[in-house]
Amino acid sequence: MANSAQGKKVLFICLGNICRSPIAEAVFNHILEEQGLAGWEVDSGAIGSWHVGRGPDRRAVSTMKKHNVHMSHKARQLKKTDFNHYDYIFGMDHENISDIKDMAPKTYTASIELFGSYDPQKELLIRDPYYDDDDAGFEKCYEQCLRCSKGFLDSLAK
Ligand code: 4NP
């Protein structure tokens, strides 16, 4: 059955915004399209500024190509105004969550959560594959993002 969740604003955050969060953004957009859901605003960003302006890691690009998921993103850093613009800011691991909270303004409306908390298989953390010497961690990240995207949308429809 089509998901009835109303459009929300969602921001995916990881450390560098070249591996996990652009994959999460791309996969989430893919699922929105698959489920015929419109009116969402989806973006991703980084804790750090190292890769600002660059496209995703080539292993993230090849993993998305393999699964026919469109990905188009240039890295950008999390900023204070994000906290009162987005409904949800999702981190990939506990360190992300702690860094996101450290960067927050005094008051904000976004809900800051681990994306993995929506995994029906209960795999809470989306591990950083950046320093791996192969693609396996990227494939695993894709699979987790797929499950979490569906899990999150299902949770809103309830
Ligand atoms: P991401 O992976 O947080 O999933 O994008 C990383 C990418 C780059 C770095 C760390 C993690 N870095 O240190 O440059």
Side-chain angles (χ1 to χ4, degrees):
M1 195 183 82
N3 199 301
S4 61
Q6 274 204 326
K8 302 220 179 276
K9 300 189 182 85
V10 178
L11 180 65
F12 296 100
I13 296 292
C14 63
L15 192 56
N17 195 209
I18 55 169
C19 300
R20 293 166 291 174
S21 61
I23 290 177
E25 177 193 350
V27 168
F28 191 71
N29 273 322
H30 186 80
I31 299 296
L32 287 177
E33 201 175 315
E34 204 172 79
Q35 296 192 6
L37 297 173
W40 287 69
E41 186 178 326
V42 185
D43 197 7
S44 65
I47 298 294
S49 61
W50 316 286
H51 302 285
V52 167
R54 296 199 196 135
D57 184 283
R58 61 176 172 73
R59 296 163 295 178
V61 173
S62 61
T63 303
M64 293 302 94
K65 274 211 181 110
K66 178 181 157 194
H67 293 287
N68 290 314
V69 173
H70 173 74
M71 179 169 63
S72 167
H73 184 73
K74 292 282 180 267
R76 63 107 158 164
Q77 200 172 11
L78 175 63
K79 54 184 192 282
K80 286 233 186 302
T81 52
D82 290 329
F83 291 83
N84 285 299
H85 179 76
Y86 288 92
D87 298 304
Y88 292 89
I89 300 180
F90 288 128
M92 305 295 138
D93 57 32
H94 292 301
E95 196 187 359
N96 292 162
I97 297 293
S98 151
D99 289 338
I100 292 167
K101 288 182 175 168
D102 283 349
M103 291 164 84
K106 272 206 180 84
T107 60
Y108 58 90
T109 51
S111 177
I112 299 170
E113 300 179 32
L114 278 171
F115 194 35
S117 66
Y118 291 95
D119 185 356
Q121 292 185 25
K122 308 282 179 211
E123 197 163 358
L124 191 61
L125 304 178
I126 302 181
R127 199 192 129 260
D128 187 355
Y130 181 62
Y131 293 105
D132 294 357
D133 43 23
D134 62 15
D135 284 8
F138 287 82
E139 178 66 25
K140 185 172 165 67
C141 174
Y142 160 75
E143 285 164 11
Q144 287 180 273
C145 288
L146 203 54
R147 297 199 303 267
C148 295
S149 295
K150 291 176 183 168
F152 172 58
L153 290 170
D154 285 348
S155 80
L156 295 176
K158 277 179 187 146

